[in-house]
Amino acid sequence: MLKGFKNFVMRGDIVTVAVGLIIALAFSTLIKAFTDFVINPIIASAQGGRSMGLGWQLGRPGNQATYLDLGAFLSAVIYFLIFMAVVYFFIVVPYKHVQGRRGVVVFAEPGPLKTCLECLSEDLPARARRCRHCGADQT
């Protein structure tokens, strides 16, 4: 049982995923610091005055629980976009390049699709002769 687990963990794709997650976590920490200490103050300054940030107080003034903080949401959106761009350009693109040099196609664009005339499934490959859902012959 332990030998099977060791073989599973030592597979190349599992190690690749683990390294990718570790790198993504490191980038996440860096980007979180950037959004907290650079983006958040810029967003909060857009409100002006002595407010708690970019947003509205829905209840008693000064009550953090009833403050609708749009600045925090906007910061989270910016964080997400930056993080996904970093993951794509620093992990996915180099991985595609390395795998392409090895002759392996990863993250390929899907081929053209057609619709089955019988069951109206829209996810059939253009060259399919039978529908994978209903089994009808395709013209």
Side-chain angles (χ1 to χ4, degrees):
M1 181 166 65
L2 291 178
K3 184 177 181 181
F5 179 71
K6 181 184 129 198
N7 290 341
F8 169 74
V9 171
M10 296 308 290
R11 286 181 25 203
D13 53 350
I14 297 293
V15 173
T16 302
V17 169
V19 169
L21 287 174
I22 291 167
I23 291 170
L25 180 63
F27 277 126
S28 174
T29 304
L30 181 65
I31 295 167
K32 179 76 171 132
F34 176 74
T35 55
D36 285 348
F37 301 115
V38 176
I39 302 294
N40 283 354
I42 293 171
I43 292 172
S45 70
Q47 178 91 14
R50 295 181 178 221
S51 69
M52 295 190 299
L54 183 61
W56 298 276
Q57 184 68 48
L58 300 177
R60 195 177 71 233
N63 185 358
Q64 186 74 3
T66 59
Y67 186 73
L68 182 64
D69 194 357
L70 293 178
F73 177 73
L74 186 60
S75 176
V77 169
I78 292 169
Y79 169 82
F80 174 77
L81 292 175
I82 292 172
F83 183 74
M84 294 313 296
V86 166
V87 167
Y88 180 75
F89 289 112
F90 290 106
I91 296 175
V92 173
V93 170
Y95 182 71
K96 282 175 64 172
H97 178 72
V98 168
Q99 291 296 79
R101 292 180 73 186
R102 294 177 61 205
V104 178
V105 177
V106 293
F107 305 116
E109 295 292 324
L113 301 175
K114 66 180 176 182
T115 302
C116 175
L117 298 175
E118 295 293 324
C119 69
L120 302 177
S121 297
E122 298 177 344
D123 62 344
L124 298 178
R127 296 182 57 186
R129 290 191 264 160
R130 285 187 167 271
C131 177
R132 71 176 75 162
H133 304 287
C134 68
D137 288 331
Q138 301 296 306
T139 55

